[in-house]
Amino acid sequence: MKKTLFFLTLTCSTLALQAQDKKIAEECFRKADYKCAEEEYSKLVQTEKIQKFKSEYYNYLGTSQRRLGKTSSAFKSYESALKADPMSASVYANLGSIHGQKGNKQAALDYLNQGLKLEPENADMYLTRSKIYENLGKKDLAAKDLNQILTFAPDNIYARTGLANLKKNSGDLEGALKDYNQLISEKPESLLYSGRGDVYFKLKKNKEALADVNKAISIDPKFAQAYVNKALILFETAKPKEACATLDKAVSLGYEKPLLMEYYSKCEVKK
């Protein structure tokens, strides 16, 4: 009886510690303190016995590492997450995304297609696959995926802006501007002002572009993409010091630094 009580007490203590560790990890991730999140999720994956939870922790660990620029480590964590739970749609989504980022488009599509079989109404995976199709020059398939989202989520702002961006990236800047104006009139959100700012930037209207990205930041000071867009405008208007500081801000908010190396090269001190 004493042994049973001892083991029950030990088990309860272990569960309590794991719950506390999970809470700390989640808080670190929420605050975009990815170094802290990496440390905490690394502990959790070592102690968790339930495979579904272990997969979840590996998944968050991979994302934390990815945002720290540790791409190789992120790959390994995502693969461990998939091994722990082969039925996790979110893991397939992350593997599809990271393979797409690294240029392995076919592997990305394979993972996303598998994930969509598990979760056929996952907007994030359609969005990622749409972007890959666009990069492959398959704009019809890209648009099809975005329109598919609207069949089950008609107000999805990312799908609607994605369609506007397809116009922008195809050179139809006036058409894209018209779409953004309509979207902003319906729902003035940070994402939309940042996107319209990029359209203005491509139209060489830097004053309007800067006003829009500043509006985006005022609405959501943690929206990393808006800082990236602002940095590009600042580079264009010969304000490199301010631009580089703005890039740093984007990275501190979770934007993956390896994706910005082309712009960071402009921040190198000339000797």
Side-chain angles (χ1 to χ4, degrees), residues 143-158:
K144 183 179 179 181
D145 270 0
L146 295 172
N147 282 309
Q148 179 63 27
I149 295 171
L150 298 178
T151 64
F152 60 82
D155 295 325
N156 187 289
I157 194 171
Y158 298 104

Side-chain angles (χ1 to χ4, degrees), residues 19-173:
Q20 182 63 26
D21 287 344
K22 180 183 177 183
K23 185 176 180 180
I24 293 171
E26 290 173 342
E27 185 67 10
C28 291
F29 193 91
R30 187 184 67 79
K31 291 181 176 179
D33 184 351
Y34 297 114
K35 184 176 180 181
C36 169
E38 180 188 27
E39 292 173 356
E40 295 303 322
Y41 281 116
S42 293
K43 296 177 188 175
L44 286 166
V45 298
Q46 297 301 319
T47 58
E48 183 57 60
K49 302 301 182 185
I50 299 173
Q51 293 301 297
K52 185 176 180 180
F53 294 153
K54 184 184 283 287
S55 175
E56 178 187 330
Y57 298 151
Y58 266 122
N59 202 24
Y60 276 107
L61 174 60
T63 300
S64 300
Q65 292 166 332
R66 190 176 175 185
R67 293 179 181 175
L68 288 168
K70 300 179 179 181
T71 306
S72 297
S73 296
F75 266 115
K76 291 177 182 178
S77 293
Y78 288 144
E79 288 167 355
S80 294
L82 188 61
K83 184 178 180 181
D85 182 8
M87 300 301 289
S88 173
S90 63
V91 176
Y92 283 106
N94 281 328
L95 280 165
S97 175
I98 198 169
H99 275 288
Q101 176 191 326
K102 296 299 291 181
N104 192 339
K105 302 295 192 295
Q106 188 55 55
L109 290 173
D110 290 343
Y111 280 115
L112 292 167
N113 291 340
Q114 185 61 39
L116 284 166
K117 288 179 183 178
L118 296 171
E119 203 170 293
E121 291 192 351
N122 185 304
D124 288 340
M125 279 192 274
Y126 278 115
L127 289 167
T128 303
R129 193 172 73 173
S130 173
K131 194 63 182 176
I132 292 169
Y133 280 143
E134 184 183 0
N135 291 337
L136 289 169
K138 299 179 179 180
K139 291 185 172 61
D140 55 336
L141 292 177
K144 183 179 179 181
D145 270 0
L146 295 172
N147 282 309
Q148 179 63 27
I149 295 171
L150 298 178
T151 64
F152 60 82
D155 295 325
N156 187 289
I157 194 171
Y158 298 104
R160 295 181 70 191
T161 55
L163 289 167
N165 287 334
L166 277 176
K167 289 184 181 180
K168 177 187 71 176
N169 296 333
S170 298
D172 183 8
L173 297 177

